[in-house]
PDB file of all heavy atoms in Angstrom:
ATOM      1  N   ILE A  50     -20.387  -1.255  -3.875  1.00  0.00           N
ATOM      2  CA  ILE A  50     -20.057  -1.337  -5.297  1.00  0.00           C
ATOM      3  C   ILE A  50     -18.653  -0.835  -5.563  1.00  0.00           C
ATOM      4  O   ILE A  50     -17.889  -1.418  -6.358  1.00  0.00           O
ATOM      5  CB  ILE A  50     -21.088  -0.570  -6.150  1.00  0.00           C
ATOM      6  CG1 ILE A  50     -22.483  -1.226  -6.011  1.00  0.00           C
ATOM      7  CG2 ILE A  50     -20.671  -0.510  -7.612  1.00  0.00           C
ATOM      8  CD1 ILE A  50     -23.590  -0.425  -6.672  1.00  0.00           C
ATOM      9  N   GLY A  51     -18.243   0.244  -4.930  1.00  0.00           N
ATOM     10  CA  GLY A  51     -16.893   0.763  -5.108  1.00  0.00           C
ATOM     11  C   GLY A  51     -15.845  -0.249  -4.707  1.00  0.00           C
ATOM     12  O   GLY A  51     -14.831  -0.437  -5.401  1.00  0.00           O
ATOM     13  N   ARG A  52     -16.064  -0.891  -3.588  1.00  0.00           N
ATOM     14  CA  ARG A  52     -15.140  -1.934  -3.117  1.00  0.00           C
ATOM     15  C   ARG A  52     -15.081  -3.088  -4.110  1.00  0.00           C
ATOM     16  O   ARG A  52     -14.012  -3.662  -4.382  1.00  0.00           O
ATOM     17  CB  ARG A  52     -15.571  -2.428  -1.751  1.00  0.00           C
ATOM     18  CG  ARG A  52     -14.583  -3.331  -1.032  1.00  0.00           C
ATOM     19  CD  ARG A  52     -15.111  -3.760   0.321  1.00  0.00           C
ATOM     20  NE  ARG A  52     -14.179  -4.531   1.091  1.00  0.00           N
ATOM     21  CZ  ARG A  52     -13.337  -4.033   1.983  1.00  0.00           C
ATOM     22  NH1 ARG A  52     -13.356  -2.718   2.234  1.00  0.00           N
ATOM     23  NH2 ARG A  52     -12.503  -4.810   2.656  1.00  0.00           N
ATOM     24  N   ALA A  53     -16.240  -3.466  -4.682  1.00  0.00           N
ATOM     25  CA  ALA A  53     -16.285  -4.554  -5.653  1.00  0.00           C
ATOM     26  C   ALA A  53     -15.536  -4.173  -6.920  1.00  0.00           C
ATOM     27  O   ALA A  53     -14.833  -5.001  -7.513  1.00  0.00           O
ATOM     28  CB  ALA A  53     -17.739  -4.901  -5.976  1.00  0.00           C
ATOM     29  N   PHE A  54     -15.656  -2.932  -7.376  1.00  0.00           N
ATOM     30  CA  PHE A  54     -14.879  -2.478  -8.525  1.00  0.00           C
ATOM     31  C   PHE A  54     -13.392  -2.534  -8.218  1.00  0.00           C
ATOM     32  O   PHE A  54     -12.596  -2.961  -9.083  1.00  0.00           O
ATOM     33  CB  PHE A  54     -15.255  -1.037  -8.896  1.00  0.00           C
ATOM     34  CG  PHE A  54     -16.384  -0.939  -9.913  1.00  0.00           C
ATOM     35  CD1 PHE A  54     -17.633  -0.554  -9.527  1.00  0.00           C
ATOM     36  CD2 PHE A  54     -16.139  -1.231 -11.239  1.00  0.00           C
ATOM     37  CE1 PHE A  54     -18.669  -0.432 -10.460  1.00  0.00           C
ATOM     38  CE2 PHE A  54     -17.157  -1.145 -12.186  1.00  0.00           C
ATOM     39  CZ  PHE A  54     -18.425  -0.739 -11.784  1.00  0.00           C
ATOM     40  N   ALA A  55     -12.992  -2.121  -7.013  1.00  0.00           N
ATOM     41  CA  ALA A  55     -11.584  -2.156  -6.669  1.00  0.00           C
ATOM     42  C   ALA A  55     -11.046  -3.589  -6.718  1.00  0.00           C
ATOM     43  O   ALA A  55      -9.954  -3.838  -7.239  1.00  0.00           O
ATOM     44  CB  ALA A  55     -11.370  -1.571  -5.258  1.00  0.00           C
ATOM     45  N   ARG A  56     -11.798  -4.541  -6.190  1.00  0.00           N
ATOM     46  CA  ARG A  56     -11.359  -5.922  -6.225  1.00  0.00           C
ATOM     47  C   ARG A  56     -11.276  -6.462  -7.650  1.00  0.00           C
ATOM     48  O   ARG A  56     -10.324  -7.187  -7.997  1.00  0.00           O
ATOM     49  CB  ARG A  56     -12.321  -6.790  -5.387  1.00  0.00           C
ATOM     50  CG  ARG A  56     -12.202  -6.545  -3.882  1.00  0.00           C
ATOM     51  CD  ARG A  56     -12.954  -7.605  -3.101  1.00  0.00           C
ATOM     52  NE  ARG A  56     -12.815  -7.407  -1.669  1.00  0.00           N
ATOM     53  CZ  ARG A  56     -11.758  -7.785  -0.966  1.00  0.00           C
ATOM     54  NH1 ARG A  56     -10.754  -8.393  -1.589  1.00  0.00           N
ATOM     55  NH2 ARG A  56     -11.702  -7.579   0.327  1.00  0.00           N
ATOM     56  N   ALA A  57     -12.261  -6.129  -8.469  1.00  0.00           N
ATOM     57  CA  ALA A  57     -12.246  -6.617  -9.865  1.00  0.00           C
ATOM     58  C   ALA A  57     -11.069  -6.023 -10.621  1.00  0.00           C
ATOM     59  O   ALA A  57     -10.417  -6.733 -11.419  1.00  0.00           O
ATOM     60  CB  ALA A  57     -13.556  -6.252 -10.537  1.00  0.00           C
ATOM     61  N   LEU A  58     -10.769  -4.761 -10.420  1.00  0.00           N
ATOM     62  CA  LEU A  58      -9.649  -4.130 -11.109  1.00  0.00           C
ATOM     63  C   LEU A  58      -8.316  -4.670 -10.596  1.00  0.00           C
ATOM     64  O   LEU A  58      -7.373  -4.879 -11.381  1.00  0.00           O
ATOM     65  CB  LEU A  58      -9.715  -2.617 -10.932  1.00  0.00           C
ATOM     66  CG  LEU A  58     -10.831  -1.923 -11.716  1.00  0.00           C
ATOM     67  CD1 LEU A  58     -11.016  -0.503 -11.260  1.00  0.00           C
ATOM     68  CD2 LEU A  58     -10.548  -1.972 -13.211  1.00  0.00           C
ATOM     69  N   ALA A  59      -8.214  -4.922  -9.297  1.00  0.00           N
ATOM     70  CA  ALA A  59      -7.001  -5.503  -8.767  1.00  0.00           C
ATOM     71  C   ALA A  59      -6.757  -6.878  -9.346  1.00  0.00           C
ATOM     72  O   ALA A  59      -5.630  -7.241  -9.689  1.00  0.00           O
ATOM     73  CB  ALA A  59      -7.089  -5.571  -7.235  1.00  0.00           C
ATOM     74  N   ALA A  60      -7.816  -7.667  -9.460  1.00  0.00           N
ATOM     75  CA  ALA A  60      -7.681  -8.990 -10.059  1.00  0.00           C
ATOM     76  C   ALA A  60      -7.237  -8.920 -11.504  1.00  0.00           C
ATOM     77  O   ALA A  60      -6.598  -9.861 -12.025  1.00  0.00           O
ATOM     78  CB  ALA A  60      -9.009  -9.748  -9.962  1.00  0.00           C
ATOM     79  N   ALA A  61      -7.555  -7.795 -12.176  1.00  0.00           N
ATOM     80  CA  ALA A  61      -7.116  -7.594 -13.566  1.00  0.00           C
ATOM     81  C   ALA A  61      -5.717  -7.005 -13.660  1.00  0.00           C
ATOM     82  O   ALA A  61      -5.234  -6.713 -14.762  1.00  0.00           O
ATOM     83  CB  ALA A  61      -8.121  -6.692 -14.280  1.00  0.00           C
ATOM     84  N   GLY A  62      -5.079  -6.778 -12.500  1.00  0.00           N
ATOM     85  CA  GLY A  62      -3.703  -6.270 -12.494  1.00  0.00           C
ATOM     86  C   GLY A  62      -3.577  -4.775 -12.626  1.00  0.00           C
ATOM     87  O   GLY A  62      -2.513  -4.264 -12.969  1.00  0.00           O
ATOM     88  N   VAL A  63      -4.655  -4.020 -12.340  1.00  0.00           N
ATOM     89  CA  VAL A  63      -4.624  -2.565 -12.437  1.00  0.00           C
ATOM     90  C   VAL A  63      -4.288  -1.964 -11.086  1.00  0.00           C
ATOM     91  O   VAL A  63      -4.896  -2.322 -10.064  1.00  0.00           O
ATOM     92  CB  VAL A  63      -5.993  -2.033 -12.950  1.00  0.00           C
ATOM     93  CG1 VAL A  63      -5.957  -0.505 -13.034  1.00  0.00           C
ATOM     94  CG2 VAL A  63      -6.336  -2.652 -14.292  1.00  0.00           C
ATOM     95  N   ASN A  64      -3.322  -1.063 -11.046  1.00  0.00           N
ATOM     96  CA  ASN A  64      -2.984  -0.359  -9.813  1.00  0.00           C
ATOM     97  C   ASN A  64      -4.095   0.608  -9.441  1.00  0.00           C
ATOM     98  O   ASN A  64      -4.809   1.116 -10.311  1.00  0.00           O
ATOM     99  CB  ASN A  64      -1.683   0.432  -9.976  1.00  0.00           C
ATOM    100  CG  ASN A  64      -0.519  -0.465 -10.408  1.00  0.00           C
ATOM    101  OD1 ASN A  64      -0.223  -1.463  -9.751  1.00  0.00           O
ATOM    102  ND2 ASN A  64       0.089  -0.116 -11.524  1.00  0.00           N
ATOM    103  N   LEU A  65      -4.260   0.869  -8.150  1.00  0.00           N
ATOM    104  CA  LEU A  65      -5.471   1.556  -7.671  1.00  0.00           C
ATOM    105  C   LEU A  65      -5.155   2.755  -6.805  1.00  0.00           C
ATOM    106  O   LEU A  65      -4.256   2.728  -5.944  1.00  0.00           O
ATOM    107  CB  LEU A  65      -6.319   0.596  -6.860  1.00  0.00           C
ATOM    108  CG  LEU A  65      -6.888  -0.614  -7.609  1.00  0.00           C
ATOM    109  CD1 LEU A  65      -7.521  -1.600  -6.640  1.00  0.00           C
ATOM    110  CD2 LEU A  65      -7.907  -0.177  -8.654  1.00  0.00           C
ATOM    111  N   VAL A  66      -5.940   3.821  -6.983  1.00  0.00           N
ATOM    112  CA  VAL A  66      -6.055   4.923  -6.045  1.00  0.00           C
ATOM    113  C   VAL A  66      -7.435   4.775  -5.419  1.00  0.00           C
ATOM    114  O   VAL A  66      -8.457   4.940  -6.103  1.00  0.00           O
ATOM    115  CB  VAL A  66      -5.894   6.294  -6.717  1.00  0.00           C
ATOM    116  CG1 VAL A  66      -6.058   7.417  -5.679  1.00  0.00           C
ATOM    117  CG2 VAL A  66      -4.557   6.419  -7.420  1.00  0.00           C
ATOM    118  N   LEU A  67      -7.482   4.439  -4.151  1.00  0.00           N
ATOM    119  CA  LEU A  67      -8.730   4.167  -3.441  1.00  0.00           C
ATOM    120  C   LEU A  67      -9.155   5.409  -2.674  1.00  0.00           C
ATOM    121  O   LEU A  67      -8.391   5.932  -1.850  1.00  0.00           O
ATOM    122  CB  LEU A  67      -8.541   2.986  -2.472  1.00  0.00           C
ATOM    123  CG  LEU A  67      -7.982   1.693  -3.089  1.00  0.00           C
ATOM    124  CD1 LEU A  67      -7.701   0.669  -2.009  1.00  0.00           C
ATOM    125  CD2 LEU A  67      -8.974   1.121  -4.124  1.00  0.00           C
ATOM    126  N   VAL A  68     -10.361   5.868  -2.924  1.00  0.00           N
ATOM    127  CA  VAL A  68     -10.857   7.115  -2.363  1.00  0.00           C
ATOM    128  C   VAL A  68     -12.159   6.886  -1.626  1.00  0.00           C
ATOM    129  O   VAL A  68     -13.085   6.260  -2.162  1.00  0.00           O
ATOM    130  CB  VAL A  68     -11.063   8.181  -3.478  1.00  0.00           C
ATOM    131  CG1 VAL A  68     -11.490   9.526  -2.858  1.00  0.00           C
ATOM    132  CG2 VAL A  68      -9.805   8.341  -4.312  1.00  0.00           C
ATOM    133  N   ALA A  69     -12.258   7.356  -0.398  1.00  0.00           N
ATOM    134  CA  ALA A  69     -13.500   7.325   0.382  1.00  0.00           C
ATOM    135  C   ALA A  69     -13.243   8.136   1.649  1.00  0.00           C
ATOM    136  O   ALA A  69     -12.148   8.660   1.883  1.00  0.00           O
ATOM    137  CB  ALA A  69     -13.909   5.900   0.711  1.00  0.00           C
ATOM    138  N   ARG A  70     -14.272   8.208   2.501  1.00  0.00           N
ATOM    139  CA  ARG A  70     -14.132   8.978   3.753  1.00  0.00           C
ATOM    140  C   ARG A  70     -13.380   8.230   4.833  1.00  0.00           C
ATOM    141  O   ARG A  70     -12.670   8.840   5.630  1.00  0.00           O
ATOM    142  CB  ARG A  70     -15.521   9.349   4.281  1.00  0.00           C
ATOM    143  CG  ARG A  70     -16.335  10.269   3.395  1.00  0.00           C
ATOM    144  CD  ARG A  70     -17.698  10.555   4.026  1.00  0.00           C
ATOM    145  NE  ARG A  70     -18.421   9.300   4.265  1.00  0.00           N
ATOM    146  CZ  ARG A  70     -19.384   9.160   5.178  1.00  0.00           C
ATOM    147  NH1 ARG A  70     -19.703  10.151   5.962  1.00  0.00           N
ATOM    148  NH2 ARG A  70     -19.985   7.993   5.304  1.00  0.00           N
ATOM    149  N   ARG A  71     -13.498   6.926   4.886  1.00  0.00           N
ATOM    150  CA  ARG A  71     -13.032   6.161   6.046  1.00  0.00           C
ATOM    151  C   ARG A  71     -11.644   5.591   5.774  1.00  0.00           C
ATOM    152  O   ARG A  71     -11.472   4.634   5.047  1.00  0.00           O
ATOM    153  CB  ARG A  71     -14.049   5.061   6.353  1.00  0.00           C
ATOM    154  CG  ARG A  71     -15.419   5.625   6.775  1.00  0.00           C
ATOM    155  CD  ARG A  71     -16.432   4.504   6.955  1.00  0.00           C
ATOM    156  NE  ARG A  71     -16.788   3.904   5.677  1.00  0.00           N
ATOM    157  CZ  ARG A  71     -17.565   2.824   5.568  1.00  0.00           C
ATOM    158  NH1 ARG A  71     -18.020   2.226   6.650  1.00  0.00           N
ATOM    159  NH2 ARG A  71     -17.848   2.345   4.378  1.00  0.00           N
ATOM    160  N   ALA A  72     -10.672   6.194   6.419  1.00  0.00           N
ATOM    161  CA  ALA A  72      -9.260   5.820   6.196  1.00  0.00           C
ATOM    162  C   ALA A  72      -8.981   4.374   6.587  1.00  0.00           C
ATOM    163  O   ALA A  72      -8.266   3.660   5.846  1.00  0.00           O
ATOM    164  CB  ALA A  72      -8.335   6.762   6.974  1.00  0.00           C
ATOM    165  N   HIS A  73      -9.499   3.932   7.717  1.00  0.00           N
ATOM    166  CA  HIS A  73      -9.180   2.590   8.192  1.00  0.00           C
ATOM    167  C   HIS A  73      -9.640   1.523   7.200  1.00  0.00           C
ATOM    168  O   HIS A  73      -8.893   0.579   6.877  1.00  0.00           O
ATOM    169  CB  HIS A  73      -9.824   2.330   9.546  1.00  0.00           C
ATOM    170  CG  HIS A  73      -9.615   0.932  10.063  1.00  0.00           C
ATOM    171  ND1 HIS A  73      -8.405   0.460  10.507  1.00  0.00           N
ATOM    172  CD2 HIS A  73     -10.486  -0.133  10.166  1.00  0.00           C
ATOM    173  CE1 HIS A  73      -8.531  -0.796  10.883  1.00  0.00           C
ATOM    174  NE2 HIS A  73      -9.773  -1.181  10.681  1.00  0.00           N
ATOM    175  N   GLU A  74     -10.872   1.661   6.688  1.00  0.00           N
ATOM    176  CA  GLU A  74     -11.380   0.693   5.728  1.00  0.00           C
ATOM    177  C   GLU A  74     -10.575   0.712   4.436  1.00  0.00           C
ATOM    178  O   GLU A  74     -10.301  -0.340   3.846  1.00  0.00           O
ATOM    179  CB  GLU A  74     -12.859   0.970   5.416  1.00  0.00           C
ATOM    180  CG  GLU A  74     -13.811   0.558   6.519  1.00  0.00           C
ATOM    181  CD  GLU A  74     -13.865   1.534   7.686  1.00  0.00           C
ATOM    182  OE1 GLU A  74     -13.129   2.546   7.650  1.00  0.00           O
ATOM    183  OE2 GLU A  74     -14.621   1.262   8.635  1.00  0.00           O
ATOM    184  N   LEU A  75     -10.159   1.898   3.986  1.00  0.00           N
ATOM    185  CA  LEU A  75      -9.361   1.974   2.788  1.00  0.00           C
ATOM    186  C   LEU A  75      -7.994   1.320   2.967  1.00  0.00           C
ATOM    187  O   LEU A  75      -7.498   0.594   2.099  1.00  0.00           O
ATOM    188  CB  LEU A  75      -9.171   3.448   2.398  1.00  0.00           C
ATOM    189  CG  LEU A  75     -10.410   4.182   1.858  1.00  0.00           C
ATOM    190  CD1 LEU A  75     -10.036   5.634   1.581  1.00  0.00           C
ATOM    191  CD2 LEU A  75     -10.958   3.545   0.599  1.00  0.00           C
ATOM    192  N   GLU A  76      -7.354   1.612   4.096  1.00  0.00           N
ATOM    193  CA  GLU A  76      -6.030   1.046   4.355  1.00  0.00           C
ATOM    194  C   GLU A  76      -6.092  -0.465   4.475  1.00  0.00           C
ATOM    195  O   GLU A  76      -5.190  -1.202   3.972  1.00  0.00           O
ATOM    196  CB  GLU A  76      -5.448   1.665   5.616  1.00  0.00           C
ATOM    197  CG  GLU A  76      -5.095   3.148   5.449  1.00  0.00           C
ATOM    198  CD  GLU A  76      -4.904   3.856   6.768  1.00  0.00           C
ATOM    199  OE1 GLU A  76      -5.048   3.200   7.821  1.00  0.00           O
ATOM    200  OE2 GLU A  76      -4.597   5.065   6.742  1.00  0.00           O
ATOM    201  N   THR A  77      -7.144  -0.975   5.127  1.00  0.00           N
ATOM    202  CA  THR A  77      -7.318  -2.427   5.232  1.00  0.00           C
ATOM    203  C   THR A  77      -7.483  -3.053   3.854  1.00  0.00           C
ATOM    204  O   THR A  77      -6.868  -4.080   3.535  1.00  0.00           O
ATOM    205  CB  THR A  77      -8.509  -2.770   6.127  1.00  0.00           C
ATOM    206  OG1 THR A  77      -8.303  -2.219   7.430  1.00  0.00           O
ATOM    207  CG2 THR A  77      -8.727  -4.260   6.221  1.00  0.00           C
ATOM    208  N   LEU A  78      -8.324  -2.442   3.023  1.00  0.00           N
ATOM    209  CA  LEU A  78      -8.544  -2.959   1.677  1.00  0.00           C
ATOM    210  C   LEU A  78      -7.258  -2.897   0.853  1.00  0.00           C
ATOM    211  O   LEU A  78      -6.939  -3.849   0.135  1.00  0.00           O
ATOM    212  CB  LEU A  78      -9.641  -2.139   0.980  1.00  0.00           C
ATOM    213  CG  LEU A  78      -9.944  -2.529  -0.472  1.00  0.00           C
ATOM    214  CD1 LEU A  78     -10.425  -3.959  -0.580  1.00  0.00           C
ATOM    215  CD2 LEU A  78     -10.974  -1.555  -1.083  1.00  0.00           C
TER     216      LEU A  78
END
Side-chain angles (χ1 to χ4, degrees):
I50 296 174
R52 190 180 185 94
F54 269 107
R56 289 191 178 280
L58 289 168
V63 179
N64 303 305
L65 297 170
V66 179
L67 306 173
V68 183
R70 295 179 303 156
R71 296 175 291 173
H73 176 72
E74 284 78 0
L75 290 177
E76 291 164 0
T77 300
L78 177 62

